[in-house]
Amino acid sequence: MKRWIRAAVGLAFVAMPLVASADEEGSALVKKMFDALPSKPFKAKVKMTSDRGWTRELTMIRQNTDGVDKIYLEVTAPSDLKDTRFLLIDRVVGKDEQQMFVPQMKRVVLLNNETRKQEFLGSDFLVTDLVRPDLDAFTYTITGKETVGSKPCTVVEAVPKNPADEAYSKFQLCIDPDDVLAVRVVYFDPAGKPLKTMTLDKVERIDGELTPVIQRMVTQSGHSSQMELLEMKYGAELPGDVFSKTYLTR
């Protein structure tokens, strides 16, 4: 028995550097993936569709400067949602801001941690799915390799350090190491069961930037939503006050 215990302890010490290495490698790969995302400002037209039969059209404007990621979203169709607007500001250092302008109420609503976990415009995407996560809020472990479509991918599992703050108990990213893109992401519910899966169904190089054109989210219950870029212009001239409350409520 003592020999078995000594052997088990010895195996544990042998395994520890391997686990640490996998964690460091997984964290580095995820960071590399986010660093590889286009940093140029852009203006785009986006169409969201659902298997429930509805369509939403939006204008999206994004800019990333000095560690601050700013996204402005405005619904342009259908008429009952038109002029609904979102301002999402994510900072590497400092407090993030998520605001929503509700045209029927003619007022701005601050999105708190719970509202960020809600469906975005009735889709299978959540508000939190639209912004970059705080990379330091998760631990990462490489769990294996998997082929997605024709892409051999590295699978990285991300687990939140503070689960109560996050919408998911964990998610698994299948990252294509050549394009450094997550071609598939599986999200898990608080019980640790698969909840939904996001796939990149179409990727194109636009203005020299590798750009996801069609993203599809499919739930375990079989519902699906899709986001498609209809137009994309990198380096577009942006309104000077687009990321302000004044522009949000204009």
Side-chain angles (χ1 to χ4, degrees), residues 104-135:
Q104 293 85 352
M105 301 167 61
K106 296 188 182 302
R107 63 185 291 256
V108 172
V109 176
L110 296 179
L111 303 183
N112 59 30
N113 199 42
E114 290 307 310
T115 53
R116 288 196 290 271
K117 299 175 184 178
Q118 295 177 2
E119 297 173 344
F120 179 68
L121 298 176
S123 73
D124 298 302
F125 294 87
L126 303 187
V127 175
T128 192
D129 297 337
L130 305 180
V131 297
R132 297 190 185 200
D134 178 1
L135 298 184

Side-chain angles (χ1 to χ4, degrees), residues 40-52:
K40 300 176 183 175
F42 70 70
K43 186 173 183 179
K45 290 185 178 180
V46 180
K47 180 172 72 174
M48 296 184 69
T49 54
S50 168
D51 63 342
R52 277 84 90 194

Side-chain angles (χ1 to χ4, degrees), residues 65-150:
T65 53
D66 300 324
V68 181
D69 195 47
K70 302 176 183 178
I71 298 175
Y72 170 83
L73 292 162
E74 180 174 333
V75 180
T76 55
S79 58
D80 61 328
L81 292 173
K82 189 175 185 297
D83 294 330
T84 302
R85 302 168 189 146
F86 298 83
L87 179 60
L88 311 174
I89 300 178
D90 292 287
R91 297 179 173 89
V92 174
V93 178
K95 188 177 180 180
D96 297 338
E97 298 175 40
Q98 284 90 30
Q99 303 177 56
M100 174 184 177
F101 175 72
V102 184
Q104 293 85 352
M105 301 167 61
K106 296 188 182 302
R107 63 185 291 256
V108 172
V109 176
L110 296 179
L111 303 183
N112 59 30
N113 199 42
E114 290 307 310
T115 53
R116 288 196 290 271
K117 299 175 184 178
Q118 295 177 2
E119 297 173 344
F120 179 68
L121 298 176
S123 73
D124 298 302
F125 294 87
L126 303 187
V127 175
T128 192
D129 297 337
L130 305 180
V131 297
R132 297 190 185 200
D134 178 1
L135 298 184
D136 293 333
F138 297 83
T139 58
Y140 306 92
T141 305
I142 292 178
T143 59
K145 304 286 184 180
E146 190 171 339
T147 299
V148 180
S150 60

Side-chain angles (χ1 to χ4, degrees), residues 25 33 38 62 106 142 144 168 170 184 215-216 224 231 241 246 249-250:
E25 188 179 349
M33 180 185 72
R62 177 181 171 271
K106 296 188 182 302
I142 292 178
Y168 310 107
K170 65 178 180 179
R184 187 181 73 197
Q215 302 177 59
R216 183 183 300 274
S224 65
E231 295 180 16
D241 60 346
T246 301
T249 58
R250 73 190 191 284

